């Protein structure tokens, strides 16, 4: 039996001003790496919980390239139609295994507002991972793989993870985090 894996989901607080968000925090900085970044790059984009070269590389190749490819006009169109006409959690509870993973340092969607999802996802496992921002699978890949593989998987069931890396051919090698 398959079920979803919700990775840093938005929860039910759609507008950023309605969300309970933690303050910006980099808990595992690499001082030499950060010293080599432009100040605006340190504060604006990239890994939150763990700022090290590997997370920055993966952010550039798997996240930033997608944001840049979409562009601001497309993102504005998506944002203008942000609200759904029917809430996914508004129907009958979902009775299959589900995994909800959040990051304690996720300053985009937070983690406290996602607890209410447990009412709808009746068989969900829920984890708040520390030293993790919104790029959970990039910032703590070992924890992500371990949690995804082991949590919310009762005997004989599988959780379907909806995360796919961006093909390398789309990634630009001259970008910095």
């Amino acid at each position: 039996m398959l079920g979803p894996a919700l990775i840093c989901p938005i929860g039910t607080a759609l507008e950023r001003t309605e969300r309970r968000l933690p303050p910006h925090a980099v808990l595992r900085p690499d001082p030499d790496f950060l010293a080599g970044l432009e100040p605006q790059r340190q504060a604006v984009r990239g890994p939150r919980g763990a700022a090290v070269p590997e997370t920055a590389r993966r952010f550039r190749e798997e996240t930033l390239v997608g944001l840049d490819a979409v562009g601001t006009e497309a993102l504005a169109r998506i944002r203008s139609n942000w609200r759904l006409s029917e809430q996914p959690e508004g129907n009958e509870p979902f009775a299959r295994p589900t995994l909800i993973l959040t990051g304690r340092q996720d300053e985009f969607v937070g983690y406290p507002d996602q607890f209410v999802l447990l009412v709808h996802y009746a068989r969900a496992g829920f984890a708040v991972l520390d030293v993790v921002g919104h790029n959970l699978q990039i910032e703590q890949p070992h924890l992500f793989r371990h949690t995804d593989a082991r949590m919310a998987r009762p005997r004989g069931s599988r959780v379907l993870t909806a995360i796919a890396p961006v093909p390398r051919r789309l990634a630009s090698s001259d970008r910095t985090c």
Side-chain angles (χ1 to χ4, degrees), residues 106-145:
D106 187 336
E107 59 190 278
F108 293 99
V109 299
Y111 68 90
D113 299 320
Q114 286 70 3
F115 287 116
V116 299
L117 296 175
L118 293 172
V119 172
H120 178 73
Y121 297 96
R123 293 183 55 203
F126 191 99
V128 179
L129 302 181
D130 195 22
V131 193
V132 174
H134 193 62
N135 297 297
L136 185 147
Q137 75 282 6
I138 292 173
E139 294 181 42
Q140 291 290 344
H142 301 302
L143 277 176
F144 171 72
R145 282 192 298 271

Side-chain angles (χ1 to χ4, degrees), residues 81-88:
N81 292 304
W82 200 245
R83 292 204 180 271
L84 301 173
S85 58
E86 186 176 320
Q87 293 303 314

Side-chain angles (χ1 to χ4, degrees), residues 97-111:
T98 302
L99 174 61
I100 302 171
L101 293 177
T102 62
R104 189 169 298 277
Q105 287 75 37
D106 187 336
E107 59 190 278
F108 293 99
V109 299
Y111 68 90

Side-chain angles (χ1 to χ4, degrees), residues 26-46:
V26 177
L27 301 179
R28 290 195 185 147
D30 178 329
D32 294 332
F33 168 68
L34 289 175
L37 292 178
E38 301 167 23
Q40 68 271 24
R41 294 263 189 219
Q42 291 180 29
V44 177
R45 290 185 141 173

